[in-house]
Amino acid sequence: MPFADLNDYSITTTNPGNAMNKKLNLLQVYRGVAAILVVLTHANRILSREMYQDDLLQIFHFGWIGVDFFFVLSGFIIFYIHQSDIGKPNKFNSFFFKRFIRVYPLYWSILAIKILVSLFNKNSIYQRSADEIIKAIFLLPQDRYILESSFIGVSWTLSYEVFFYCLFGLLILKNTKISQSIIFAWIIGIILNFFDLLPIGENFLPRFIFDEHNLEFVLGCLAAYTISKYEFKFAASLIYASIFMLVLSVINTKYGEFNVSGTSSLVAYGIPFMILIIGSVYLEVSKTINIPPILIYIGNASYSIYLTHGFFLSNISKIFTKLTEKLNILYLIQNPSIYYNVGAFLIVVIAVVMGCIIHSYLEKPLITNLRKKVFAKMN
């Protein structure tokens, strides 16, 4: 995901005695884990539909929490890296182009391919208005069903991301009392909406602006502020506490008396992820952690995996089903359940690998070339 690519930054603590400059590889690994969780939860839904079978992937029904993690992580990175840019209009262009290059070029590339394929297949994109297409192109807020049925389903999360960038950019451009008041009113509005105290009805745009998901960016900013101002020696305790809270929330999502989704996900997952980030940053800044390069690579490739996994899962599962029927494979094996579970696992692996290939041969070269051209002109 584009959400504040940690690979681009080093983190420097401001606490006395802890001044260090390190890559936060642990958080980069978390990005990969979060992306894989989203892939698994979508794989369960897509493969059940295409293969007419329930498989072991249903145990990853909670994988949507990866989105909550990305939102909190984005708030953390953007605030931590750019807090010194607040109130400095000369930093706005750099901030804007960095965010633009991370989000749009790859998204537009994948969207263009999706639209071209849709034109050949004559699917529901023909039913979409020019307004809906424009919104999809520029990641403007619109109904998730429209995005899922005709464009890139996960792009609804990018709309929240872009909205957060715009608000933070406002603070960089003009850190005045008016700007601060707008941000403060926005946060208060989200909190009021969280408790159903904001009279916005069913109007889509106000509901988007004051959606509870936006508060997860604020939690990330709060995590960054905490790390930049305070020192905490019990990093491992924070990590263990956050994992314990996450496990309880996952169990409750599956077996609890109430469904942990929507507003509840802010408390059940947003807060534990904030604590996890704080603990992980403190831990990695205080000691060297050896992490396998493959895990860091998957974290780097998480945006490509995130954008493309739905396409690959859907199409590979269709090919799998047709081959199974054409070759009469089910008549040759004793346990179809094992066959489908192995098939589902392989389909997920292929989808992730394809996302990694797109990262290496499309996303990475695309961003590198654009950065050279854009920042060469800016400088």
Side-chain angles (χ1 to χ4, degrees):
M1 299 179 82
F3 306 142
D5 189 0
L6 285 156
N7 197 44
D8 297 337
Y9 303 116
S10 295
I11 299 297
T12 303
T13 61
T14 57
N15 295 317
N18 266 347
M20 303 179 71
N21 194 295
K22 301 182 68 173
K23 293 284 188 180
L24 293 182
N25 290 328
L26 194 56
L27 294 192
Q28 194 72 349
V29 170
Y30 292 164
R31 291 178 76 234
V33 172
I36 298 299
L37 282 175
V38 174
V39 172
L40 289 170
T41 195
H42 287 162
N44 174 48
R45 185 174 64 187
I46 293 172
L47 271 56
S48 297
R49 182 188 69 219
E50 299 295 342
M51 297 164 57
Y52 311 105
Q53 292 283 332
D54 289 329
D55 49 58
L56 288 176
L57 294 177
Q58 61 187 304
I59 65 176
F60 296 103
H61 65 283
F62 63 90
W64 49 265
I65 70 174
V67 173
D68 295 282
F69 174 77
F70 282 127
F71 285 166
V72 179
L73 181 58
S74 267
F76 166 78
I77 293 295
I78 293 301
F79 185 88
Y80 201 101
I81 298 302
H82 295 287
Q83 60 180 310
S84 61
D85 297 338
I86 293 176
K88 298 178 180 177
N90 61 311
K91 298 288 187 178
F92 177 78
N93 285 345
S94 175
F95 171 82
F96 173 81
F97 283 113
K98 283 180 180 178
R99 295 300 93 218
F100 179 87
I101 288 172
R102 286 297 300 139
V103 175
Y104 283 100
L106 180 65
Y107 170 73
W108 282 341
S109 300
I110 303 302
L111 180 62
I113 295 172
K114 177 67 182 290
I115 291 176
L116 286 174
V117 172
S118 300
L119 292 176
F120 284 108
N121 292 338
K122 295 184 178 181
N123 73 356
S124 59
I125 196 169
Y126 283 97
Q127 304 170 10
R128 298 305 168 198
S129 65
D131 176 67
E132 291 168 339
I133 294 174
I134 290 173
K135 286 181 178 179
I137 291 174
F138 293 102
L139 293 173
L140 301 177
Q142 69 173 315
D143 188 86
R144 287 172 61 176
Y145 172 77
I146 295 174
L147 299 173
E148 290 173 354
S149 61
S150 302
F151 302 102
I152 299 177
V154 296
S155 60
W156 68 271
T157 61
L158 302 184
S159 297
Y160 285 97
E161 190 78 16
V162 170
F163 178 60
F164 169 66
Y165 292 159
C166 290
L167 287 177
F168 196 90
L170 177 64
L171 289 178
I172 295 176
L173 196 59
K174 288 192 177 219
N175 186 27
T176 62
K177 289 184 178 180
I178 295 178
S179 299
Q180 294 172 4
S181 298
I182 291 173
I183 301 297
F184 182 74
W186 172 61
I187 295 174
I188 294 300
I190 296 173
I191 295 173
L192 290 175
N193 190 41
F194 181 87
F195 293 104
D196 293 324
L197 299 175
L198 197 66
I200 57 177
E202 296 299 321
N203 296 317
F204 180 79
L205 189 57
R207 292 185 70 84
F208 172 86
I209 293 173
F210 298 108
D211 189 275
E212 299 82 12
H213 282 107
N214 290 312
L215 207 54
E216 292 178 325
F217 294 105
V218 178
L219 290 178
C221 292
L222 182 59
Y225 179 82
T226 301
I227 290 171
S228 65
K229 297 296 182 182
Y230 304 103
E231 186 173 3
F232 189 82
K233 296 182 179 180
F234 304 101
S237 299
L238 287 178
I239 295 174
Y240 294 144
S242 65
I243 292 175
F244 177 74
M245 294 167 67
L246 289 169
V247 170
L248 287 182
S249 295
V250 168
I251 293 173
N252 190 67
T253 298
K254 180 66 175 178
Y255 302 107
E257 297 181 359
F258 64 94
N259 180 32
V260 181
S261 61
T263 58
S264 299
S265 67
L266 176 68
V267 176
Y269 297 108
I271 293 176
F273 281 135
M274 178 186 70
I275 297 173
L276 177 64
I277 289 172
I278 294 174
S280 298
V281 172
Y282 277 130
L283 181 65
E284 192 155 17
V285 166
S286 63
K287 63 173 62 177
T288 300
I289 301 176
N290 295 319
I291 299 174
I294 183 63
L295 297 181
I296 298 174
Y297 174 79
I298 292 175
N300 295 341
S302 58
Y303 186 34
S304 292
I305 295 171
Y306 187 72
L307 283 181
T308 62
H309 73 272
F311 173 83
F312 288 119
L313 288 173
S314 179
N315 287 280
I316 296 172
S317 60
K318 288 177 181 177
I319 294 172
F320 178 85
T321 300
K322 288 182 179 179
L323 285 176
T324 299
E325 294 173 352
K326 189 171 183 178
L327 300 176
N328 291 323
I329 293 177
L330 295 181
Y331 293 100
L332 303 176
I333 58 178
Q334 294 182 344
N335 195 328
S337 177
I338 294 179
Y339 170 77
Y340 277 112
N341 282 312
V342 172
F345 173 77
L346 291 176
I347 290 170
V348 169
V349 170
I350 293 172
V352 172
V353 169
M354 292 304 296
C356 290
I357 291 173
I358 289 173
H359 164 70
S360 293
Y361 295 100
L362 178 59
E363 179 189 7
K364 197 172 179 180
L366 187 63
I367 291 175
T368 300
N369 291 330
L370 285 173
R371 278 179 179 163
K372 288 179 180 178
K373 293 179 180 179
V374 171
F375 290 110
K377 292 181 180 179
M378 290 178 62
N379 296 327

